[in-house]
Amino acid sequence: MAWKIVGGAAALLSILLGGLAVATNGEPDRSATLAEYRRPSAIPFPDDNPFRTAKAELGRALFFEPVLSRDGERTCATCHVPGRDWTDTHPRAPRSDGGVMEFRTPTLLNVAWTETIYGWDGKFNGLETVARTPLTAPGNMNMPPEEMVRRLSSDPNYVAAFAKAFPGPVPEGGQVTQERIERALATFQRLIISGQAPFDRWVEGDAHAVGAAAKRGFDLFNGKANCAACHSGWNFTDGSFHDVGVAKDGAIGRGRFFPNSTRLRHAFKTPTLRNVARRPPYMHDGSLTTLSEVIDLYDRGGIERPSRSRDIRPLHLSAREKADLIAFMESLSDAGAEGPAYQPIGVEAPRP
Ligand code: HEC
Ligand code: HEC
């Protein structure tokens, strides 16, 4: 009989506490909001470029292959540096002629979860199509496609690796094709995934994984500061384009492709916030050097203009609230060079 009374009392207590949204330890009940940030359990691979270990291994070799640049000086990893969270430290990516490109190098962390449209302004349609631009651009790897295919085809190791990665009929012209190079690179990049951060352990139920400041920061992020309106889900991005009031210099972002849209003028893609504390500078143009400057921008509400997102407005944050938001973003960093993102190959099967 006694157990029934205890059970009934516990149920009543949880109804009462649930109604007040307060957990037994006196903290707000964040379980529903935290659940929105749970990590996925599998990597999405497209049907027309499915995962194969041999393809990913070939992609890894190509990613670090200087032969793919005309003068042998550059690889994908020149800018997407594994030890720098797959970006670099430059405000704007360096051109081979000493100048700089239009944009900062974005991190490649979690690119598998980007829905189709890549690039700060969305100029790339699909991960498979991105590589063509850095490979062939004169200010970058500057490699004519035929020359690239010719170079790899003259290396028997590569010919064998392409055959293993792409079983089936040999294409006209041989095992090495530009399309296969692009597919292998994409398969490799889908394995670049940020590792478990303290925040993930909190999501999974370890209340001590992050400190009190980070927890308050999480509440602000999802509440008063409204960051989650765009930095949503486990990868902290809605994959969409917004003007948060950064670009001053006529950079029109997504507006380039939608000249009649007011909203897309100065709109750039929402970046992931995974490992963000470790990879300054920030924004599409690298114009902000610390997270503190980023918070100050949002606190001011950025540049007020017709294109600015309706989700951006002056926040009037206190000094403590600003520090709490930064503490929260710091809790999104994984273990660094020890984490899975840095050895994305050698796995027998894809894992989250
Ligand atoms: C000179 C530095 C540099 C090199 C070398 C380079 N990239 Fe990039 N990468 C960039 C920049 C800058 C962007 C942003 C371009 C844009 O948004 O228009 C970018 C964007 C990307 C993106 C889109 C990411 C996203 O989240 O939208 C992918 C994928 C990518 N690069 C892969 C590669 C691959 C594969 C190679 C090698 C074939 C490569 N990059 C070589 C600088 C570089
Ligand atoms: C309206 C959508 C939106 C809201 C709301 C928003 N962001 Fe952003 N965030 C973006 C976009 C878009 C960018 C890239 C802007 C650019 O490069 O011009 C960005 C960039 C960032 C960056 C730089 C990341 C990098 O790799 O360069 C950080 C950090 C950041 N936001 C944190 C926050 C925080 C904290 C909040 C809440 C105070 C917030 N964001 C609110 C859309 C948003």
Side-chain angles (χ1 to χ4, degrees), residues 104 106-107 120 220-221 225-231 238 240-247 266-273 276 279 281-286 288 290-291 294-295 297-299 309-312 315 317 325-326 328-329:
R104 181 169 71 83
T107 177
W120 285 105
L220 289 161
F221 193 88
N226 198 31
C227 315
C230 305
H231 297 283
D238 57 2
S240 192
F241 300 82
H242 312 272
D243 174 14
V244 298
V246 180
H266 308 293
F268 293 89
K269 195 164 73 201
T270 311
T272 177
L273 298 183
V276 71
R279 45 180 181 78
Y282 301 110
M283 304 303 181
H284 70 278
D285 54 1
L288 303 179
T290 62
L291 284 182
V294 174
I295 297 294
L297 172 104
Y298 284 115
D299 192 47
S309 165
R310 292 185 188 92
D311 284 312
I312 301 291
L315 296 171
L317 299 169
L325 276 168
I326 293 175
F328 168 64
M329 286 194 272

Side-chain angles (χ1 to χ4, degrees), residues 12-23 29:
L12 183 63
L13 192 66
S14 79
I15 288 165
L16 283 173
L17 293 175
L20 291 168
V22 171
D29 180 3

Side-chain angles (χ1 to χ4, degrees), residues 42-64 76 86 108-113 118 126-131 161-162 164-167 178-193 340-341 343-351:
I43 305 171
F45 287 91
D47 292 342
D48 58 3
N49 190 17
F51 177 82
R52 278 180 69 82
T53 303
K55 201 190 325 180
E57 275 167 2
L58 171 62
R60 187 236 235 321
L62 295 172
F63 194 90
F64 296 98
C76 306
W86 304 85
L108 297 182
L109 288 169
N110 310 327
V111 284
W113 282 268
Y118 292 81
L127 187 54
E128 277 73 8
T129 70
V130 176
F162 274 83
K164 215 174 144 199
F166 298 95
Q178 183 178 6
E179 197 197 357
R180 286 181 165 190
I181 293 167
E182 290 163 355
R183 284 163 173 258
L185 280 168
T187 301
F188 168 67
Q189 292 173 87
R190 289 195 173 95
L191 301 180
I192 300 172
I193 301 164
Q343 286 88 32
I345 291 293
V347 290
E348 280 314 302
R351 59 192 160 89

Side-chain angles (χ1 to χ4, degrees), residues 229-275:
C230 305
H231 297 283
S232 53
W234 81 283
N235 196 27
F236 295 92
T237 169
D238 57 2
S240 192
F241 300 82
H242 312 272
D243 174 14
V244 298
V246 180
K248 305 178 194 82
D249 52 358
I252 55 169
R254 193 85 181 118
R256 175 183 292 175
F257 305 103
F258 297 91
N260 298 326
S261 160
T262 307
R263 287 282 151 203
L264 291 175
R265 210 175 158 75
H266 308 293
F268 293 89
K269 195 164 73 201
T270 311
T272 177
L273 298 183
R274 289 281 173 176
N275 296 354

